[in-house]
Structures are given as C-alpha cells and as structure tokens.
Amino acid sequence: MKTEIVKIDEEQIDQEAIARAGEILKRGGLVAFPTETVYGLGGDALNENSSRLIYAAKGRPSDNPLIVHITNMEALKKIVTEIPPAARKLAERYWPGPLTMIFHKSSAVPLATTGGLDTVAVRMPSHKTARAMIDAAGGYIAAPSANRSGRPSPTVARYVIEDLDGLVDMIIDGGEVNIGLESTIIDLTGEVPTILRPGYVTQDMLTETLGLVDVDRTILDANSHQAPKAPGMKYRHYAPKGNLSIVEGEPERVVSYINERISALQKEGRKTGVIATDETVARYHGDDIKSVGSRRDEEVIARHLFRILREFDDDNVEVMFTESFETAGIGQAIMNRLLKAAGHQVIQV
C-alpha cells in the first residue's frame, strides 16, 4: 500500500486534504492523525471491517477495545443506550478534551470496535484537525494510538511513519502534540465511576466534579487476567525495544545505584540510557542521558516521556533506567505509562 503523507497546520487547516481523508475513512480505509493527546489511527467506528483493519495494521489483540471519537453530544446518542447524569457533568467540564468515558453501547457499534464488549469508550477531542477529519468522515472514528502495538505512543508524525508507512492510506502530519499522554478513561457503567486509565484529567479533577470516584487496582499494579474494559489495561504497552527498569528510593541512592549498574553494563559492552530530570541529569554518566523535564512541571514530563522512549530506540539503547515519580495528579499517569513500558520491573533501593 502507498501511504499518502500530508502536512496540516491546525491554525490553517487544508480543507481539501481533510476532505480526502474523510473519503478514505468513509470507504473503509485508515488515516493516522494528530490529536491533543497522541497521534491516533482512525477508521470508521461503525464499520466492523475498518476496526479489523485497525487491529491488523497495529498488530493489536482484537479484545483490546478501541475508542470512538465524536465531535458533539448529539452524536453520542446514536452509539450509547443511555447518557447518565455523571457523563453530562463530565462532558460540560472536560469535553472537548482528553477524557474518555465508557458507556453501555447501542447496536450501532459493532463488537469488532469494542473488543467484543457490550460497552463502548467515547472521546470528544479538542484538536481542530482531528475534529475536522471526524466530521468529514461522518462523525464516528475509532482510533487507538497510531503505533505498532506495544510500542511507545507517537507524539510526532515521524514515529507514526516509522511504524505505519505502507500499512495505512494516509498519515496527517500535524506537528508535535500538546499533552503527550493518552486520555484519561473513566468507566460510567457501574455503581461508582472508576478510572481505568489515568491521564491529563486527574483523579482530583474528576472527584471535584462527581464526588466519589474509584480507581481500578491494576493502574499502578501488575496486569490482571480479566478481559480489558479499556485500551491498555491488559497488555504490555509503551515499551522501548531495550530493557527498561524503574528505580525507586531516596534520590541519592537512586543516582548511586543507576550509576553503578551503568558502569557494570558498559564493561559488558552494553549501551545504556537514563531517563533523568533537570534536577539530576548532570549526575549520571551513561551512554544516553535524557532529561524528561523538571519535577516542578509534570505536564512537561508527560509531554516528553514517549518521545524519549522512542529516541532511545533511535539510539539503539539496550538497557535503560528511569527515576520514579510521585503518583498524585498527572504523576499517576506518568507512572502508569512507565510501569507498562517497564513491564512492571521496579527496583527498590
């Protein structure tokens, strides 16, 4: 397949290119596109064959649900059986934006899109290019992150091209995304709203809006063996090609341990890398030391994390270590992604 690659400026959208993307999607093809969170791989959410093509292009397990992207509340009515009051409260505050809500699905949504579940995950993105493309395609786009399954999610188009060139009809290059981590996912189908994937919309923000909000126990724990209700719950995700470990403990001991391990690995001829912060980056001596940002600004850390994991692959790093982060606020999402990327390999020092 020949993949068309198109650059689009969000502030001056190429309507002709958007129309072409819409036609591709309407006829069952696939288009990768930018959102405010990460790049997405889009197909017609109401066409079961399009969803199967998404799974095939990503190499993604077919029981891992896709998120349906819409641009207005009227569109929601077609794909869910009811809109609970909690959903309306959240939509008023966080839609459009980086929040995905899980509802009981209607018959309009094929099981191929929901991973065989009777629930559907729905998001309303704020990115102008994404919204224009969704509307051009008929209003319902199923879109997981635009990467091969298990790899770090792409925050710039060059990594989309690296993973999916020749596997999709079009890739829209919209530059670097704003947030850098996938949307928060909250399940509204049970008695208590439950966060299934942390993100930019934090637990504190959701609690302020709804009152009681639970958190799925697997978010900062090992994977369960249950069928995933949301993307990324069951399978290893966001992983670089090399081996990544998270090192937790007092800062001095973390730096000392990582440097000792790096020295030993370098003597074995292994190429090493470290995810550090602005506060500690000068203290490490590995082959590839990268600061993810200052601990005083977790939004910057979130934006840079996936790009750094991809850059380690570019640099052929074999063994990586990362400092750990606080698990409050956006830090919960950062640690969730790191634990997935490291296969829950945590070293206490």
Side-chain angles (χ1 to χ4, degrees):
M1 177 188 296
K2 174 69 174 176
T3 299
E4 179 183 2
I5 299 171
V6 180
K7 286 195 174 185
I8 293 184
D9 182 349
E10 188 181 8
E11 299 308 317
Q12 193 172 0
I13 294 175
D14 182 342
Q15 296 297 337
E16 184 180 336
I18 290 295
R20 290 203 308 276
E23 288 304 314
I24 288 169
L25 291 159
K26 284 178 179 177
R27 67 171 184 258
L30 304 182
V31 177
F33 62 101
T35 78
E36 71 273 24
T37 56
V38 298
Y39 274 76
L41 173 57
D44 181 353
L46 307 186
N47 180 340
E48 62 181 39
N49 189 59
S50 294
S51 294
R52 292 192 181 102
L53 288 176
I54 290 173
Y55 287 116
K58 283 180 63 73
R60 179 186 179 102
S62 61
D63 68 343
N64 201 1
L66 306 177
I67 294 175
V68 179
H69 291 61
I70 59 174
T71 62
N72 59 81
M73 288 298 288
E74 194 63 29
L76 184 62
K77 296 176 182 177
K78 179 177 178 178
I79 58 176
V80 305
T81 58
E82 64 173 331
I83 304 174
R88 295 191 183 277
K89 289 182 181 179
L90 292 174
E92 286 176 8
R93 186 160 182 182
Y94 301 114
W95 274 7
L99 177 67
T100 294
M101 294 187 256
I102 294 181
F103 304 86
H104 291 292
K105 82 174 190 70
S106 74
S107 59
V109 186
L111 291 172
T113 298
T114 64
L117 300 176
D118 61 2
T119 56
V120 60
V122 187
R123 181 163 103 81
M124 188 186 294
S126 62
H127 196 284
K128 293 177 183 177
T129 302
R131 292 175 64 82
M133 192 199 73
I134 293 164
D135 286 338
Y140 301 94
I141 300 300
S145 55
N147 54 285
R148 293 289 291 174
S149 188
R151 301 296 312 286
S153 300
T155 58
V156 293
R158 70 186 178 99
Y159 292 123
V160 181
I161 295 167
E162 180 181 297
D163 278 10
L164 298 177
D165 190 18
L167 297 174
V168 302
D169 299 276
M170 179 186 282
I171 296 172
I172 297 175
D173 181 350
E176 187 171 10
V177 303
N178 294 326
I179 293 175
L181 294 179
E182 302 87 351
S183 60
T184 304
I185 298 178
I186 185 166
D187 184 3
L188 301 176
T189 64
E191 291 185 10
V192 179
T194 301
I195 298 170
L196 303 186
R197 182 175 73 188
Y200 187 84
V201 179
T202 66
Q203 182 178 359
D204 286 345
M205 294 161 70
L206 295 168
T207 301
E208 182 182 334
T209 306
L210 298 181
L212 180 62
V213 173
D214 203 355
V215 179
D216 187 273
R217 64 182 180 83
T218 66
I219 280 177
L220 294 176
D221 200 350
N223 294 333
S224 72
H225 297 289
Q226 298 174 346
K229 291 194 72 174
M233 289 192 72
K234 181 177 178 182
Y235 299 98
R236 188 180 183 218
H237 269 54
Y238 324 119
K241 294 177 181 177
N243 183 70
L244 175 66
S245 297
I246 301 167
V247 183
E248 289 187 344
E250 292 295 322
E252 291 295 328
R253 300 184 71 172
V254 168
V255 171
S256 177
Y257 175 85
I258 290 175
N259 279 333
E260 287 176 7
R261 290 292 299 129
I262 285 171
S263 294
L265 288 160
Q266 287 176 325
K267 288 176 183 177
E268 298 173 6
R270 311 286 296 280
K271 190 168 185 178
T272 60
V274 179
I275 299 177
T277 58
D278 288 353
E279 292 80 5
T280 59
V281 65
R283 302 182 62 192
Y284 293 106
H285 54 69
D287 300 302
D288 201 348
I289 311 299
K290 298 183 185 296
S291 174
V292 74
S294 170
R295 287 185 178 274
R296 293 188 295 273
D297 193 341
E298 289 185 331
E299 290 187 19
V300 170
I301 291 173
R303 189 180 309 129
H304 292 166
L305 179 60
F306 285 149
R307 175 179 55 77
I308 284 176
L309 291 175
R310 285 278 189 167
E311 288 174 353
F312 280 143
D313 287 348
D314 294 342
D315 298 340
N316 297 311
V317 176
E318 299 173 82
V319 184
M320 290 148 283
F321 300 93
T322 179
E323 299 172 2
S324 65
F325 297 90
E326 297 294 331
T327 57
I330 301 174
Q332 185 182 61
I334 293 166
M335 281 304 296
N336 170 261
R337 304 313 193 271
L338 280 174
L339 285 164
K340 290 280 188 177
H344 288 268
Q345 189 168 258
V346 181
I347 299 166
Q348 301 284 345
V349 295

